[in-house]
Amino acid sequence: MTLHYYEALARPAQPRGCVLVTGSNRGIGLELVRQLAASPWPPHHIFATCRHPEGPRGKALRDLAAQHPSIKLVQLDTVNVPSIQGAVRAVDSHLKDQGLNLLINNAGVSSHATLHSLDSQEMLSVFATNVVGTLQVTKVRVELLAKGAGKEGLSCSRAAVINVSTKLGSIGLCLGVLQAPMYPYRASKAAQNMVTRCLAVELQEKGILCAAIHPGWVKTDMGTEEAPLMVEHSVRGILTVLASLSQDTSGTFLDWEGNSLPW
Ligand SMILES: NC(=O)c1ccc[n+]([C@@H]2O[C@H](COP(=O)([O-])OP(=O)(O)OC[C@H]3O[C@@H](n4cnc5c(N)ncnc54)[C@H](OP(=O)(O)O)[C@@H]3O)[C@@H](O)[C@H]2O)c1
């Protein structure tokens, strides 16, 4: 039987988990928060983080949070160290002695730069968000995740880091280079994939599962209107895949339907 993430969270003897999502004011991140909060058994706390929770870009998230007490808005710019430290303090003040069960590193930026148009500044800025930001946010939350981990094997309802990746970052597939060269984006996601593989090995002994997930080509600001997949559909799939992850699938790269992808 396929369980949705929130059904897995509600299994007897499981704590009602605590989840943190980066880049949750729009697109896939916003929908992740929406579906988690609207579930029959919402996580105890959903830390919905974004760069500007108080500004116009945070309005949809603020409106959502107003309907769901489980959502806690937290300012977090994943490339800004003082902001990361501020988010750590804000989350800790809610959690007290509780651990964190699931960190979803969703914040990301794209770039359409080609071999001819790319410049080093753009390349570095895409790497800063997609690779360095993901790693920095994970680094400061490892101990909190370890607190949420149990002794009975790995799962997303105990302790997990999920990095939102893309098929375009797969070196094994190397899809459509001529149609979508996107060097900064592809290279950064390939590097993020290596981060995921290394974390999976290193954090296993702390009881923390790590995996990369490709959400499909999704209608968001990044995916554009041309994308075939509605964000609701992609996120429903992602949450179902998360519920299925275990010791055996830690360190894997999967799509929103649970298909395995080559790194
Ligand atoms: N859409 C697709 O087809 C697709 C396909 C494959 C993979 N993905 C991946 O899925 C993830 C979400 O993409 P999306 O389609 O939802 O993109 P999106 O609509 O462009 O949203 C990106 C989100 O990331 C946030 N963000 C960017 N830089 C940030 C930073 N430094 N700190 C905190 N938040 C930051 C943005 O916040 P602001 O509003 O402040 O800019 C926004 O909330 C990305 O990692 C992307 O690579 C998407």
Side-chain angles (χ1 to χ4, degrees), residues 23 25-26 28 51 57 77-78 106 165 185 189 216 218 220:
N25 57 310
R26 58 190 171 101
I28 292 167
R51 288 195 272 206
R57 290 196 140 196
D77 180 339
T78 61
N106 162 76
S165 183
Y185 184 60
K189 289 294 185 171
V218 190
T220 61

Side-chain angles (χ1 to χ4, degrees), residues 31-74:
E31 186 60 21
L32 280 165
V33 172
R34 189 192 309 283
Q35 289 195 22
L36 285 167
S39 72
W41 306 280
H44 193 223
H45 293 298
I46 304 168
F47 297 105
T49 75
C50 65
R51 288 195 272 206
H52 306 291
E54 305 304 335
R57 290 196 140 196
K59 180 166 186 329
L61 185 57
R62 287 199 301 278
D63 291 349
L64 185 64
Q67 297 164 35
H68 298 281
S70 58
I71 300 178
K72 310 284 183 291
L73 262 60
V74 176

Side-chain angles (χ1 to χ4, degrees), residues 22-29 49-52 57 76-80 105-110 129-130 164-167 185 189 192 213-224 227 231:
T22 64
S24 69
N25 57 310
R26 58 190 171 101
I28 292 167
T49 75
C50 65
R51 288 195 272 206
H52 306 291
R57 290 196 140 196
L76 174 57
D77 180 339
T78 61
V79 297
N80 180 304
N105 286 309
N106 162 76
V109 288
S110 183
T129 306
N130 295 353
V164 181
S165 183
T166 169
K167 257 180 164 173
Y185 184 60
K189 289 294 185 171
Q192 190 205 54
I213 194 147
H214 164 65
W217 183 17
V218 190
K219 274 188 210 301
T220 61
D221 294 339
M222 187 186 292
T224 76
V231 69

